[in-house]
Amino acid sequence: MAKAVVYTLLFAVFVVFVIFSPMKQRPSQSIEGLISRRLGHKFHPPAFDPLVTRIERMSWEKEASPSNGTIHVDAAARVSAEEDMFEEYFAEEGKVNTTMRIKFLFPLLDAAPRDGFVSLKELQTWMMQQTEDNMGYRTAKELDLRDKDRDGSISFEEYLPQFSKEDIERNEKGHGEAGWWKDQFKNADFDHNGSLDIEEFNNFLHPEDSRNGDIQRWVLKERITGMDKSGDGKLDYKEFLESAYEMYREFAKFETETEDDHVPTAQLLFAELDKDKDRFLVADELRPIVRYLQPGEMSYAKYYSSFLFHEADDDKDGKLSLDEMLNHEDVFYKAVHQDDDDDDDEEDDDHDEL
């Protein structure tokens, strides 16, 4: 019981650290509702079951119609065919048969090795893959929406038409100004051709999850702003200790399931990161711990997986049996099992945040 409380608290710590941008927070709001994308995208818990994701996408595609109010015939036929294919997984009341779905998915999760159990690593791999697929889907939909000339890429003007030519020429660097966005656009434009293809656009929309070094530096410069008390654009040891290290330490403990004595000390970590030995850390030197300082959706999926795992691991043997997962269907299918009233509350919260 004590260990379960620890994991719940650590997950709450993760939520607090993710949200460094000012937001309204209400006691009644769910954990999921508190997390939002810094670039304007809602940050929801990753779906455990790809079927649930497919259902949500089909609903979206039915509603996202062209100007005449109807969906394309081929799209309608595909959605109808998928609905028929999934019909066997629905109970009489129209909800997903979560018992059947867990039995179907269990051998897919039990992949490396196939030993009749699901390990934490297997669950994390699964959840992170679902998250990556969903990010790619949203990016493709956003590109299709914004790509006015239908050339398969996004120009700065197509994505941010609210900025005039004069705004762009002024190149103001304040948060949300044209120059601020332009810098990030250039960082994502890996081939420097002035527009973003789908991979570059995905990095632009999800900078916290990008492996692009320029984007990581941009993210960290933004993050340092909230930690840099002296305003010199870098962290001395005291600033590092009071902000960055606390985040790193909590996440490192959570990842490795160890106590403090197994996590590098602040002095040791600072010295390791300080490559030029000038006793300051700049954005580039903080890149090795970027996922701790500015977690993205992939990091969230990993930590959320740990939260799910320890909720369902009843005997605390470090692996999930089929029975344990079936005993905790409500954990893995929260959105399916929650009350309608809860749905309404979450929708209201989302609207308040807009």
Side-chain angles (χ1 to χ4, degrees):
M1 176 64 71
K3 191 171 183 179
V5 171
V6 169
Y7 280 105
T8 302
L9 291 175
L10 284 173
F11 184 70
V13 168
F14 169 74
V15 172
V16 171
F17 285 143
V18 167
I19 311 168
F20 81 95
S21 298
M23 290 177 59
K24 294 185 296 180
Q25 296 186 18
R26 295 178 295 280
S28 61
Q29 194 174 19
S30 67
I31 286 176
E32 294 86 345
L34 289 174
I35 302 177
S36 65
R37 300 294 297 156
R38 291 178 56 232
L39 294 182
H41 296 275
K42 286 296 180 182
F43 200 58
H44 294 296
F48 165 72
D49 190 341
L51 173 60
V52 175
T53 302
R54 294 284 290 279
I55 294 170
E56 291 173 351
R57 291 179 185 176
M58 287 190 296
S59 176
W60 183 89
E61 289 178 9
K62 280 186 174 182
E63 295 175 2
S65 59
S67 58
N68 62 3
T70 60
I71 60 176
H72 294 295
V73 175
D74 58 344
R78 177 174 54 78
V79 169
S80 178
E82 288 188 346
E83 288 176 337
D84 291 341
M85 181 172 60
F86 298 148
E87 185 176 358
E88 64 178 297
Y89 294 114
F90 288 87
E92 291 183 1
E93 62 272 20
K95 290 188 176 181
V96 175
N97 186 329
T98 55
T99 299
M100 182 181 292
R101 286 300 296 172
I102 287 178
K103 289 179 178 179
F104 173 79
L105 293 174
F106 188 85
L108 300 180
L109 275 74
D110 177 24
R114 294 188 180 279
D115 58 359
F117 296 95
V118 173
S119 67
L120 174 58
K121 184 177 181 180
E122 287 171 329
L123 181 60
Q124 288 176 337
T125 299
W126 173 265
M127 296 292 285
M128 292 171 73
Q129 183 61 59
Q130 307 312 309
T131 297
E132 186 174 22
D133 291 346
N134 202 32
M135 288 166 56
Y137 172 83
R138 297 200 316 268
T139 297
K141 288 296 181 183
E142 186 75 1
L143 188 147
D144 184 64
L145 176 66
R146 304 281 186 173
D147 183 17
K148 302 303 181 183
D149 60 9
R150 318 311 295 172
D151 66 348
S153 62
I154 294 291
S155 67
F156 185 82
E157 290 75 17
E158 283 177 324
Y159 188 69
L160 296 162
Q162 67 268 32
F163 293 120
S164 67
K165 183 178 180 180
E166 291 74 20
D167 291 331
I168 297 173
E169 288 176 350
R170 281 197 299 270
N171 202 33
E172 296 288 344
K173 302 290 187 178
H175 187 92
E177 298 288 348
W180 183 85
W181 282 105
K182 194 69 176 179
D183 283 347
Q184 176 60 345
F185 192 91
K186 289 179 179 178
N187 290 334
D189 185 14
F190 188 76
D191 57 11
H192 307 293
N193 69 348
S195 62
L196 306 181
D197 61 26
I198 190 166
E199 183 176 353
E200 292 168 334
F201 192 43
N202 192 60
N203 283 330
F204 177 77
L205 292 179
H206 307 100
E208 297 90 347
D209 294 299
S210 175
R211 297 179 182 177
N212 180 315
D214 291 334
I215 291 179
Q216 289 183 344
R217 293 183 191 94
W218 182 84
V219 167
L220 286 166
K221 285 179 182 177
E222 287 286 302
R223 195 68 183 95
I224 286 174
T225 301
M227 307 175 182
D228 176 22
K229 304 302 182 184
S230 61
D232 59 1
K234 50 191 176 183
L235 301 182
D236 60 26
Y237 177 73
K238 182 179 179 182
E239 292 167 335
F240 172 78
L241 178 64
E242 293 177 350
S243 53
Y245 181 71
E246 286 303 308
M247 298 179 190
Y248 168 82
R249 183 171 61 85
E250 291 302 324
F251 287 133
K253 288 167 56 180
F254 191 41
E255 279 187 338
T256 60
E257 303 184 27
T258 60
E259 300 301 325
D260 283 340
D261 56 354
H262 291 88
V263 176
T265 64
Q267 295 93 331
L268 182 62
L269 182 60
F270 187 92
E272 181 180 341
L273 295 172
D274 184 19
K275 297 300 183 183
D276 59 8
K277 305 305 176 186
D278 67 348
R279 299 184 181 181
F280 291 96
L281 297 179
V282 295
D284 196 54
E285 291 174 316
L286 289 167
R287 282 182 61 196
I289 61 171
V290 62
R291 72 181 188 275
Y292 301 102
L293 303 185
Q294 191 60 46
E297 291 192 47
M298 294 295 285
S299 294
Y300 180 35
K302 183 176 182 180
Y303 287 105
Y304 193 75
S305 301
S306 298
F307 177 74
L308 295 178
F309 188 92
H310 291 286
E311 285 288 297
D313 185 17
D314 290 330
D315 58 11
K316 306 306 175 187
D317 64 349
K319 53 189 178 182
L320 299 181
S321 65
L322 176 58
D323 285 341
E324 285 176 321
M325 293 187 69
L326 290 174
N327 288 338
H328 294 279
E329 293 179 20
D330 59 325
V331 172
F332 293 98
Y333 290 89
K334 179 179 179 181
V336 175
H337 286 284
Q338 65 188 173
D339 295 332
D340 292 336
D341 290 341
D342 292 338
D343 288 336
D344 293 338
D345 290 342
E346 289 193 6
E347 287 180 6
D348 290 341
D349 287 338
D350 286 347
H351 294 162
D352 289 343
E353 295 300 330
L354 295 177

